[in-house]
Amino acid sequence: MNFDDLKVIWDSQNVEPHYAVNKEGLHSVLRTKSEKLRKLIWWQEIQTYGSSTFMVGIISALLIVHWAGLISETSTKWGGLAQWDVLALVIAAAGWLYFGGSIYLKRKNQKRRAAEYTSSLRDELERDIEQVDYEINSRKHLVRGFIPPYTGGILFIWVVFRAAGIPDWRIIPFILFMIGALIFESRSQQSLVDRELVPRKQDLESLREKLNKAEA
């Protein structure tokens, strides 16, 4: 059975009488659509963990170089790292660690709950509805969630500029760029909710209602 056949079965459930539910076909298309959503979420997780690992790694490398004495106050290329610079870098790394770690723990908890469901059609429906609910709710306070990593990014750039002897005012374009990137990311995620997640939740709830009628 190809995807087009499965789509016909999926779409037909909203127009056929309740006694005509094709459970076998519906089970197949449900898994196909679930896999598509999982791939999308997996890709976003990779981006989150990848960016967090990269930033924590580069900040840690800069701190190690500083503590090893390779960046000194008398260096001709670097202005050196002051105590406040080191503190700013630690805060920046903490912001990125919090960002990646909090998402990891939330995802892990969600996957643990999903594993409690069986492979039956009803359980898979309930599991997918819970998953979509989680994805929608996790994006309600997206801007607040991005504050730690974006603050960490700004602090990192500020320290690098200071260490390299670049005037502080030149960081302003980078700050504006990051604010713009935050706005863009927020709108992109909201578009994902409106375009993909909300319609999928509506489909799943409609199918659950139809299944309830068929089993009544």
Side-chain angles (χ1 to χ4, degrees), residues 124-179:
E124 289 202 15
L125 267 173
E126 295 294 345
R127 182 200 63 198
D128 283 7
I129 290 173
E130 182 180 316
Q131 177 69 41
V132 173
D133 272 334
Y134 169 79
E135 298 299 336
I136 293 174
N137 292 332
S138 67
R139 288 165 174 78
K140 286 184 177 179
H141 307 290
L142 192 66
V143 173
R144 184 176 64 188
F146 274 117
I147 288 178
Y150 273 78
T151 300
I154 292 173
L155 287 174
F156 171 75
I157 294 173
W158 175 69
V159 170
V160 170
F161 273 39
R162 277 176 47 82
I166 300 174
D168 289 344
W169 65 266
R170 291 191 177 181
I171 196 177
I172 295 177
F174 288 91
I175 295 176
L176 295 177
F177 171 79
M178 295 186 74
I179 292 175

Side-chain angles (χ1 to χ4, degrees), residues 32-49:
T32 300
K33 285 178 172 282
S34 297
E35 182 62 25
K36 180 182 177 181
L37 179 61
R38 280 195 292 269
K39 286 181 179 180
L40 175 64
I41 301 306
W42 176 82
W43 175 242
Q44 292 194 344
E45 285 188 57
I46 291 298
Q47 291 178 308
T48 297
Y49 302 146

